[in-house]
Every structure is written in structure tokens, then in C-alpha cells.
């Protein structure tokens, strides 16, 4: 009996509005679906996995080992205790994590350019979906990928001489979610008006790499010339790296004395994330395309 | 609301900078009918398509889908239309089913209801056996079918298709048109399609000719063909311009050069052939006579051919 009834209601009919979707189902459901799509697509493109994880690893090992002993960062207090000095591999480690997040977040949001070119995006834009849920689907997708890879890399921390506890692992994960949302939002904002991925690479080299270099990831603000110091203070990535350092060395202020305080780093990270998401949604609504 | 036409376009104009792409177009489409917007590439079809699908805000004028305004009530319009894009809007890396499921989610459908709906449409369009294949493995014709299934998931009242037949061979095109006919007859879905292919337009209930942004004619295919009195003669000759001039001089009426051949509209074409051959013995390579096609109607109305790109358009 029941089966017969189902069949009856099955036939396509203009009159039969399928269900009566609620307001949330036009926001949450599309967002979740687009989010999931990002992850599935990523896992089906092996070269992306290798590239995103491999680049910072090579970076970290080659540059970190290259500088080797020529870089020794002493305690701000100038103590001679050998336990308070830091090798470059260790100094470079938190910056490498942020670099992984940066690479993954940026390279996954530029897929919006491919989505547009391959035609997928047009159907999404013509669907009764809030624009913010389209942005968030993309951004959370890329955040998931960035976080997954960063956490894998984080497991190497002991090799750099950084002790890991479950607490620091969770803490870093929490901070990285915020960092990844912000950087994905930035990626979206840059990629949205672009027609080709070539243009994006120029932005990568002219804007994003300098942002990362001037973040305290590769060298500390203390020894830099004054204009570099200013640039670093204005750079949101500086606060990303600082937040990660604070959490990694939680409870001991051994290597965090020169950094902006944790609360400020966290605040700026959150504000930056909110701002890039809002601006991305606005760009999408205002878009004439 | 049920009395509203499926689509109503009022004084719609759109400019890209100085170029007028759509010029003061007004027309309506009846419910549960098949309507073709026929015109050459660059005639304004795609612009109209984008306006109707809420993807483009026109410079002036308005359009309504089943009573909902495409400018003021975007989301209501979006829920009522299904869209078949010329370049399928499918994610090549996902499977057929994943694509449909994602689309369902965008329209607020989920769970067993959505799964059931997907199955139903996949079976209807004969792609049930390719459900788990990635879209990148499918042929162009299959992709178009998946795109069609995708566009119908949320049971739209109006289906809008952009050049659905482009890139498909005629047999596949005919099947597609049969599916559309079935949708309009069984399910009451209105289909509006843009095309530059006559065989596609021929199968529709009414046709709007769109040329250089203007709607130059709107009628049923047979009524349009009746606007040409009698037959159409096509004369191939070494010097068509000269021949056209001499035909006019000798017989009066019109004769023009279209695509390197002389084109003459005459009643009782078969009798006129004899006159022609007697008048210009040995000067013609060939003369053909035929009932007017939509192409002839288009030429009659605009003075140029519908598709220089019919073969290149692939």
C-alpha cells in the first residue's frame, strides 16, 4: 500500500512543490554540501595533496637546516642558559605551519576560478542560495584541508625540539581554524574577480609571499630595519604566526617575549577572518557577472 | 497566479557599454508550451537567457517568471526555474549522483526524498547505469542529459535551456526534444530554449526570431513559413549579383544574393524554373526549388542567414 502511494507522488509535476524547504535549508544545507564538495575534490586530485604538504616540508628542511647554527636566537633577557636558545629549525617551525595553511587555503580558494570556467559556478549562482553560504562553503572547505595538512605537519614538532601535548595540539588546531578562515577569505576575495589562475600567481608572488616573509615566520621583527618593523606590525599574518607561537610555548614565555600579546594576536586573527568573509560575500552580491 | 503566463518579458533592453544587445523586447510564453528563441550568435539570445535566469540585471525593462519578477523576487524566480546551461554546469570530478545530490542540497532538498527524486530522473533519462561514474568520463550527449536531470530535481515550473542542441548530433538532439515535449505534455513544464538550429526550433510550439537584439517575428513554425508566399528557388551561378539584377529586370519581384547564390521567392516555383532556364540558357549551374524553411523565413525577414556557424558551431 505504502509503496503504491510513494509511486503516485513521484511523478514530476509542476504542481507538486517538493517538500517545503525552510529558510535554514537554503543556508546551512547548501553550505555543508559545497563544503563537502571541496574536500572530495581535493582528495581526488593527488597532486594537490602532495604539492601542498611537500612545499613547506622542503622549505622547512632546506632553509631551516641551511641556516643551521648561524642563527641562534637568545632569550630577550640575554640569559646564557643553553636551554633558552633556539635553533633555526625550531624558530622556523611555527612559520612553516602558517605557510602550509597559507598555501592550502589560497590554492583551494582559487578553485573558484576553475568553478567559473568549468561552468559549475553558474548553477550555484542561479540557485536560491544565500551568497554568504556560497562563500562559507568554499572557505570552510579550504579551511578543513588547510587544517588537516597543518596538523599532520605539526606532528613533526618534536623533531624541531618542540614538545607536544594534547593541549597544545588542540590549542594550535583552534588557532589554525581561525587563521585558515581568514586566509581562505582573503584568497576568495582575490580570486573572485579573476578570470585566470595565471593572474593569481602574480598576486601570490607580489602579495602573499611578502606577507608571509614579513610575518615573523622567517626572521623576528627585533633585528629588522624600522620600515620592515612597521610593515610587520601592520601585517595580519604577523598575528597569525604570533598566535601559533604563543600556543606552542604556552605556559613558558621563553620565546614569546618579543611578540604581540596573545589576546591581541587572537583578536586580530578573528577580526581578519570576519572581515574577509564579509567582504567576499559583498563582492559576490555586487558582482555583475 | 496560475493565470500568469509562464514567462512575460516587458520592454527589455540591455546594453554592454555602447553596444545594444537586447533592444526593447516584449513577449510572453504560454504555460506548458515549448518556445524557441531562434537567432544567430550574437543576436541577443544569451543576454536574454542570463536575464531570465537572474544572472544579469538588464539596463531597462523587466521579466516575470510565473508572475515573479526577476529583479525584485530573485529567489522566488530561482525556485521556479530549472536551467540547462550550454556548457554543462557539472563538476567533472564528482560522480553523476554526487552532482545531482549537491544540486538538490542547493535547492533545500535532502534525505531519502532527494535520493528517490535522483533515482527517478536518472531512470527517466536513461542514465541510471552511469550513476557512479565521474562526469569527466561521460560523452557530451550524456552530460547534457545529466544536466537536464539536474535542472528538474526541484520540479521547476519553467525550464530554461541555453543552446541545448549545440554540439550534439541530430539524432541525440531529436531525443532531447522528445524529452522536452514529454515534460510539457505530461508534467505541464514550460520550456524556453535558445537556439540557432532550425531542426530544434521546428519542434517547438512557437518561435521568436531574435536578430540584432530585436524580436523580428513571433509565431508558430507553420504560420511563420506561410509568411513566404509559395516556394523558394535557389540558383547557383558564376556571377550571382549580375544574375539577380537580370532576374529582377526580366521578371520583376524580388531576387537577392544570399551566401553566394541567387534566392528567389515565387508562387508555383516549379513553373518558374522553366521560365528561368529558358531566359538564361546555359548560365546556371543548378536551380533548386523547395518549400520555405525557417531559414528562408529568417532570410526573408532580416536579409541574412541564420547561421554561418552551423558547422563551425559544433
Amino acid at each position: 500500500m505504502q509503496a503504491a502511494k510513494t509511486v503516485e507522488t513521484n511523478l514530476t509535476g509542476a504542481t507538486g512543490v517538493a517538500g517545503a524547504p525552510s529558510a535554514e535549508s537554503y543556508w546551512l544545507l547548501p553550505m555543508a554540501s559545497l563544503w563537502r564538495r571541496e574536500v572530495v575534490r581535493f582528495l581526488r586530485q593527488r597532486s594537490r595533496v602532495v604539492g601542498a604538504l611537500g612545499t613547506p616540508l622542503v622549505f622547512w628542511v632546506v632553509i631551516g637546516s641551511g641556516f643551521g647554527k648561524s642563527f641562534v636566537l637568545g632569550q630577550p633577557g640575554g640569559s646564557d642558559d643553553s636551554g633558552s636558545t633556539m635553533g633555526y629549525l625550531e624558530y622556523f617551525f611555527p612559520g612553516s605551519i602558517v605557510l602550509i595553511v597559507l598555501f592550502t587555503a589560497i590554492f583551494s580558494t582559487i578553485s573558484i576560478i576553475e568553478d567559473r570556467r568549468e561552468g559549475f559556478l553558474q548553477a550555484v549562482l542561479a540557485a536560491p542560495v544565500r551568497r554568504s553560504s556560497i562563500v562559507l562553503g568554499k572557505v570552510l572547505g579550504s579551511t578543513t584541508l588547510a587544517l588537516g595538512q597543518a596538523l599532520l605537519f605539526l606532528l613533526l614538532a618534536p623533531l624541531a625540539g618542540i614538545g607536544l601535548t594534547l593541549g597544545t595540539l588542540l590549542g594550535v588546531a583552534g588557532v589554525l581554524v581561525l587563521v585558515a578562515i581568514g586566509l581562505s577569505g582573503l584568497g576568495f576575495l582575490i580570486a573572485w574577480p579573476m578570470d585566470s589562475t595565471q593572474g593569481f600567481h602574480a598576486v601570490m608572488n607580489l602579495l602573499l609571499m611578502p606577507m608571509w616573509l614579513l610575518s615573523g615566520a622567517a626572521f623576528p621583527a627585533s633585528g629588522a630595519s624600522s620600515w620592515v618593523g612597521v610593515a610587520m606590525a601592520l601585517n595580519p599574518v604577523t598575528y597569525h604566526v604570533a598566535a601559533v607561537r604563543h600556543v606552542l610555548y604556552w605556559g613558558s614565555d621563553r620565546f614569546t617575549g618579543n611578540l604581540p600579546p596573545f589576546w591581541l594576536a587572537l583578536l586580530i586573527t578573528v577580526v581578519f577572518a570576519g572581515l574577509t568573509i564579509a567582504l567576499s560575500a559583498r563582492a559576490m552580491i555586487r558582482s555583475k557577472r | 497566479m496560475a493565470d500568469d503566463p509562464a514567462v512575460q518579458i516587458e520592454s527589455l533592453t540591455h546594453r554592454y557599454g555602447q553596444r545594444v544587445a537586447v533592444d526593447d523586447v516584449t513577449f510572453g510564453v504560454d504555460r506548458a508550451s515549448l518556445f524557441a528563441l531562434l537567432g544567430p550568435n550574437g543576436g541577443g539570445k544569451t543576454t536574454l537567457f542570463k536575464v531570465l535566469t537572474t544572472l544579469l540585471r538588464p539596463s531597462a525593462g523587466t521579466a516575470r517568471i510565473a508572475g515573479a519578477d526577476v529583479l525584485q523576487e530573485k529567489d522566488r524566480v530561482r525556485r521556479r526555474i530549472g536551467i540547462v546551461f550550454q556548457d554543462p554546469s557539472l563538476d567533472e570530478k564528482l560522480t553523476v549522483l554526487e552532482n545531482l545530490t549537491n544540486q538538490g542540497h542547493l535547492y533545500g532538498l535532502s534525505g531519502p526524498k532527494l535520493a528517490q527524486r535522483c533515482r527517478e530522473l536518472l531512470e527517466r533519462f536513461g542514465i541510471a547505469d552511469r550513476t557512479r561514474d565521474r562526469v569527466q568520463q561521460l560523452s557530451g550527449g550524456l552530460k547534457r542529459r545529466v544536466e537536464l536531470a539536474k535542472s528538474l530535481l526541484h520540479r521547476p515550473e519553467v525550464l530554461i535551456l541555453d543552446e541545448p542542441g549545440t554540439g550534439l548530433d541530430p539524432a541525440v538532439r531529436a531525443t532531447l526534444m522528445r524529452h522536452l515535449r514529454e515534460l510539457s505534455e505530461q508534467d505541464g513544464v514550460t520550456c524556453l530554449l535558445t537556439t540557432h538550429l532550425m531542426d530544434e526550433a521546428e519542434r517547438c510550439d512557437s518561435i521568436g526570431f531574435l536578430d540584432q537584439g530585436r524580436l523580428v517575428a513571433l509565431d508558430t513554425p507553420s504560420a511563420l513559413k506561410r509568411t513566404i508566399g509559395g516556394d523558394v528557388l535557389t540558383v547557383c551561378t558564376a556571377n550571382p549579383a549580375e544574375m539577380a539584377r537580370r532576374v529582377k529586370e526580366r521578371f520583376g519581384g524580388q531576387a537577392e544574393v544570399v551566401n553566394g547564390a541567387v534566392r528567389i521567392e515565387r508562387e508555383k516555383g516549379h513553373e518558374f524554373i522553366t521560365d528561368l532556364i529558358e531566359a538564361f540558357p546555359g548560365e546556371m549551374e543548378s536551380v533548386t526549388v523547395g518549400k520555405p524553411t525557417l531559414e528562408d523565413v529568417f532570410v526573408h525577414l532580416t536579409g541574412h542567414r541564420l547561421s554561418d556557424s552551423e558547422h563551425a558551431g559544433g
Side-chain angles (χ1 to χ4, degrees), chain B residues 12-24 47 56-60:
Chain B
L12 196 83
T13 297
H14 190 73
R15 290 180 207 88
Y16 296 102
Q18 289 295 305
R19 197 174 71 80
V20 181
V22 174
D23 191 359
D24 195 22
T47 304
L56 182 73
R57 169 174 277 272
S59 312

Side-chain angles (χ1 to χ4, degrees), chain A residues 33-242:
Chain A
S33 197
L34 292 171
W35 179 354
R36 183 171 179 276
R37 166 180 175 260
E38 292 299 322
V39 179
V40 171
R41 270 179 71 91
F42 177 80
L43 295 175
R44 288 185 187 165
Q45 291 164 281
R46 288 288 143 75
S47 60
R48 282 179 64 191
V49 184
V50 174
L53 193 61
T55 311
L57 192 65
V58 168
F59 231 75
W60 177 62
V61 171
V62 171
I63 296 185
S65 313
F67 278 96
K69 295 282 186 293
S70 59
F71 179 98
V72 177
L73 189 70
Q75 253 300 79
S79 153
D80 278 330
D81 181 1
S82 61
S84 65
T85 58
M86 177 190 262
Y88 196 66
L89 268 179
E90 182 178 358
Y91 179 81
F92 201 46
F93 192 81
S96 300
I97 295 181
V98 172
L99 185 62
I100 293 189
V101 173
L102 182 79
F103 272 142
T104 318
I106 298 292
F107 281 120
S108 33
T109 38
I110 64 170
S111 63
I112 194 86
I113 299 172
E114 289 162 43
D115 289 348
R116 191 194 296 281
R117 222 186 36 231
E118 285 168 10
F120 178 79
L121 187 66
Q122 52 190 350
V124 178
L125 292 178
V129 175
R130 297 275 297 274
R131 306 296 104 158
S132 58
S133 105
I134 301 174
V135 174
L136 280 172
K138 189 60 120 183
V139 164
L140 291 175
S142 100
T143 297
T144 307
L145 306 179
L147 187 68
Q149 298 191 45
L151 289 181
L152 276 178
F153 185 72
L154 190 60
L155 297 176
L156 300 175
L159 292 180
I162 303 172
L164 272 187
T165 64
L166 187 62
T168 50
L169 206 62
L170 290 176
V172 172
V175 168
L176 288 181
V177 167
L178 297 171
V179 171
I181 291 178
L183 292 175
S184 304
L186 180 67
F188 192 100
L189 205 54
I190 296 170
W192 178 252
M194 291 198 171
D195 288 323
S196 78
T197 44
Q198 279 90 341
F200 199 90
H201 292 304
V203 174
M204 187 78 198
N205 291 330
L206 283 172
L207 177 72
L208 300 174
M209 282 312 287
M211 273 176 87
W212 176 77
L213 282 167
L214 295 176
S215 68
F219 54 84
S222 47
S225 61
S226 59
W227 74 267
V228 171
V230 173
M232 287 171 86
L234 293 173
N235 179 5
V237 182
T238 300
Y239 302 91
H240 295 160
V241 174

